[in-house]
Amino acid sequence: MRMRHQAVRISLLGIAPLAFTALAAGQAVAHGSMTDPVSRVSACFAEGPEHPRSAACKAMVAAGGTQPLYDWNEVNIGDAAGRHRQIIPDGKLCSAGRAKYKGLDLPRADWPGTKIDSGKHSFRYRATAPHRGTFELYITKDGYDPKKPLKWADLEAKPFAKVTNPTLGNGSYVFDGTVPKRSGRHLIYSVWQRSDSPEAFYTCSDVDLGGKAAVTTKASAPAASAPSDEQIAEEAGKSTVDHGGHGGDGPGKGGHGEGGLPQSGHEDNGQGENGQGAKAQGGDGHEPHGAVKAANAPAVQGGRLAETGGDSRTTVLAVGGAGVLAAGSVVLLVASRRRSARTRV
């Protein structure tokens, strides 16, 4: 009899961790960056955080350190909730107003760029932790000067491409858009707003649309390259981005979708100015967990990860189910102990 009670007790104790595992699994978050056309942060990461080749990427590292490049997939605001123009100030669009990524806002005409043509284009957005949401792409107006800080007024008022829940393949979202007729140096600004969280991600991609205006900058602006699968996997261990909520969106908590930046969106007190090291990055100062590092590896990036999306009910259902399971485990365990005590008497 005593052995049976011990067996029941062990099995019930085994259920509780499963309940809390289910709870954590229901709180997936998203990370990523544009790779076609290549975003600034992706291009500089591809060059190598420690020894970037281009003058612009060297200047970015000088401004904010190397850690922002290892965290290339985390230019975000945890509590954006569609308020992009209200909480991101002019001159800080590329960093999303985060001091950690301030080097991305440097006004210069020699950022590595991608040559594209006006008309239909297939865009690629690398997602290291995919989730459901909407992508909006904006392009700069005629007369845009890359040597001046980027302002909201420099972008067209409406996105030229907008897509919700695009197809995910081989770790990237792929969707089509029609690039407006332009020539010379321009910038494409992307906003990825999650539908199951207030969190949003932002990228700046420098593009060369050809024509006479492009000739003057061609020599000083190198071609941008996206990071390879091998590099992403190799450098994942140096990232401080924690897909489980310990990566640091703002002061104190650092969790994605758990308050994020302060309402102004202009400060990044939890991150530190120098961008160096996990603890300097703020949040809770934790080193990235092994599972988080593995989440950046291409081997775990596939279409199936899109299923971690769902609507706003996903987390609620997971939390509710885990809570019921955990509570039931406790009740059964207590009942088992009482029966055991009566048997011994």
Side-chain angles (χ1 to χ4, degrees), residues 57-77:
C57 292
K58 289 179 180 178
M60 180 194 171
V61 170
T66 60
Q67 195 60 50
L69 296 184
Y70 290 116
D71 297 343
W72 60 278
N73 57 345
E74 190 223 18
V75 184
N76 71 338
I77 296 179

Side-chain angles (χ1 to χ4, degrees), residues 230-272:
E230 292 75 18
Q231 182 185 7
I232 292 175
E234 182 179 349
E235 304 288 9
K238 297 179 182 178
S239 173
T240 65
V241 177
D242 189 330
H243 296 67
H246 296 282
D249 278 321
K253 297 184 70 172
H256 300 292
E258 298 178 343
L261 288 172
Q263 292 299 314
S264 67
H266 300 175
E267 296 296 330
D268 199 20
N269 300 327
Q271 301 297 337

Side-chain angles (χ1 to χ4, degrees), residues 20-29 131 196 308-309 314-316 318-319:
F20 292 107
T21 298
L23 175 65
Q27 298 176 338
V29 292
H131 229 47
D196 56 354
T308 62
T314 304
T315 302
V316 175
V319 171

Side-chain angles (χ1 to χ4, degrees), residues 7 16 53 56 165 242 309:
R53 298 186 303 275
N165 300 332
D242 189 330

Side-chain angles (χ1 to χ4, degrees), residues 198-225:
E199 182 182 39
F201 286 78
Y202 308 87
T203 69
C204 281
S205 297
D206 298 276
V207 295
D208 174 7
L209 285 154
K212 294 181 179 180
V215 176
T216 58
T217 60
K218 187 172 294 185
S220 58
S225 298

Side-chain angles (χ1 to χ4, degrees), residues 31-266:
H31 296 85
S33 191
M34 189 75 74
T35 53
D36 187 1
V38 187
S39 66
R40 287 180 180 177
V41 70
S42 295
C44 291
F45 173 64
E47 288 188 15
E50 303 300 331
H51 303 286
R53 298 186 303 275
S54 66
C57 292
K58 289 179 180 178
M60 180 194 171
V61 170
T66 60
Q67 195 60 50
L69 296 184
Y70 290 116
D71 297 343
W72 60 278
N73 57 345
E74 190 223 18
V75 184
N76 71 338
I77 296 179
D79 62 350
R83 301 173 298 126
H84 320 298
R85 292 176 183 266
Q86 289 75 30
I87 63 179
I88 300 177
D90 283 341
K92 298 184 178 181
L93 274 68
C94 296
S95 66
R98 297 185 57 179
K100 174 180 178 179
Y101 294 101
K102 62 184 179 182
L104 294 173
D105 292 317
L106 295 175
R108 49 193 305 146
D110 59 348
W111 283 102
T114 304
K115 189 176 185 344
I116 63 173
D117 297 318
S118 298
K120 188 175 180 179
H121 185 86
S122 290
F123 295 88
R124 301 184 68 86
Y125 196 102
R126 185 58 178 266
T128 54
H131 229 47
R132 300 192 182 196
T134 298
F135 290 87
E136 292 183 344
L137 272 57
Y138 299 82
I139 193 168
T140 46
K141 300 175 182 177
D142 284 327
Y144 161 68
D145 185 353
K147 294 182 180 180
K148 295 181 180 180
L150 180 67
K151 300 181 297 184
W152 284 106
D154 293 326
L155 302 175
E156 295 289 354
K158 295 182 179 180
F160 68 85
K162 183 175 181 178
V163 60
T164 299
N165 300 332
T167 300
L168 177 71
N170 296 321
S172 295
Y173 286 112
V174 181
F175 53 93
D176 292 334
T178 302
V179 180
K181 187 174 180 57
R182 294 285 193 279
S183 64
R185 191 79 168 179
H186 278 275
L187 183 143
I188 291 178
Y189 190 70
S190 79
V191 177
W192 179 18
Q193 176 63 64
R194 290 175 56 182
S195 58
D196 56 354
S197 163
E199 182 182 39
F201 286 78
Y202 308 87
T203 69
C204 281
S205 297
D206 298 276
V207 295
D208 174 7
L209 285 154
K212 294 181 179 180
V215 176
T216 58
T217 60
K218 187 172 294 185
S220 58
S225 298
S228 65
D229 291 351
E230 292 75 18
Q231 182 185 7
I232 292 175
E234 182 179 349
E235 304 288 9
K238 297 179 182 178
S239 173
T240 65
V241 177
D242 189 330
H243 296 67
H246 296 282
D249 278 321
K253 297 184 70 172
H256 300 292
E258 298 178 343
L261 288 172
Q263 292 299 314
S264 67
H266 300 175

